[in-house]
Amino acid sequence: MKPNRWAVLAAIALTAVAAITPPATADSLVPKGFAPASTSWTGPLRGFVLGFSPCGKPGWCASLLSTADGGKRWRRVGTPPISLPDNHNQVKLTVIDERDIFLSDGARLLASRDGGVNWSRVRLAGVREPFYISKITEAGPRVFAMVTGFGSPSTTALYAGIAGTRVLQPVPGFTVTGSATYGDIATSGGIQVSMGADYRVQKYWTSSDGLTFESAPAPCPADSSASLSGVRRGHVLALCSGGPGTPQPGSTVRRLWRAPKLGGRFTGTAQAPTLGIDQSFSAASPAAATVAAEGGGTGFLHSTADGGATWTTTVLSGRGVCLNDLDFPDELVGVVVDGLPDAEGGSAVYRTTDGGITWGELVFG
């Protein structure tokens, strides 16, 4: 990769980035030893974190925390009935609003309609094990889940149901099969669904109401997979990535692609940094986006503020397990989860207030 394709690699040490966030005051209700597993924010100051803390049995107990001031103070709002899975899947939190919340450990889906006080199981009709729920969201009157089955062949399918239902059904026509299959869904500013197989097949649909979908030009070339972000000031951004481990182990060829409107035709930018394997992607604005990647036991946050012409890279801790839940609730504030509660290096939530240029660790007490 030629140096002029991205301007600078700014390796910012953990000791430096931690200084940008003032020390947080933890509420007395925050459990001792709390370690974050997943985070979801409904605005730049209003956020939720699911985490686990050591307890008697089963060894780790779940807690749901919330903040209304950007993470300076936290309070416990619930104790979800979910455990850390033995396979080290992430237990993912998705907050739709103050009342509607979802939790998934990849194989089990829980929903709360009262802000995390009570929980009920949501089933996937006809799904075959083993499978993995990669994304759960709600838009308009419907709940959506992206589900990949690990049989032979692999199958990725979109499931949906009316909000509040306890059973999600596969959506006809929204399925891909192959040796390796994948998919993504974004709902901010309009609904997008992308699905692909074996880096040869890619399908893409859009919807304004969650009920009627139209096929649209795919955001990425067929030889890459698409990671979607929401519509930002009318523009749609996607990260187009080749197979992991190319051009060398611990790296990925990736580009930022953009469409002028929902359902419009995408065009690509110059190549982004290749360090790390894709973990998460999110756009803060039509020109600003961040890629979370992991490689060689190190976490990287690749950010651009000029539509992909130049990039900077923040090097996080050496946890090197995973980077999840990257999201920008507005054009300046973003969050990401580094690591897993039961990993050797533990876990942390990082927050940016300048669109991804600098990141600081939130403190829970």
Side-chain angles (χ1 to χ4, degrees), residues 37-38 49-52 62-64 79-83 90-95 101-112 116 119-122 133 136:
S38 183
V49 173
L50 172 78
F52 292 82
S63 298
L64 181 62
T79 53
I82 197 163
S83 302
Q90 182 200 22
V91 181
K92 184 170 180 58
L93 169 71
T94 302
V95 177
I101 304 174
F102 295 96
L103 281 177
S104 175
D105 62 5
R108 191 163 64 119
L109 179 59
L110 302 177
S112 173
W119 297 86
S120 59
R121 180 79 177 267
V122 180
I133 304 169
I136 178 76

Side-chain angles (χ1 to χ4, degrees), residues 173-199:
F174 286 70
T175 304
V176 290
T177 60
S179 299
T181 60
Y182 34 85
D184 198 8
I185 180 169
T187 57
S188 175
I191 303 168
Q192 307 170 69
V193 177
S194 176
M195 308 178 83
D198 302 325
Y199 297 93

Side-chain angles (χ1 to χ4, degrees), residues 184-186 192-194 202-204 217-221 224-232 235-241 253-262 264-270 272 278 280-291 304 307-308 311:
D184 198 8
I185 180 169
Q192 307 170 69
V193 177
S194 176
Q202 188 177 157
K203 300 179 180 181
Y204 179 69
C220 299
S224 58
S225 64
S227 298
L228 304 175
S229 189
V231 179
R232 306 299 187 191
H235 293 259
V236 189
L237 285 85
L239 181 71
C240 300
S241 304
V253 173
R254 52 177 76 94
R255 293 175 184 268
L256 189 66
W257 285 60
R258 180 188 293 102
K261 62 180 181 178
L262 188 68
R265 187 168 297 277
F266 286 79
T267 56
T269 65
D278 289 357
S280 307
F281 166 72
S282 184
S285 73
T290 297
V291 181
T304 180
W311 295 80

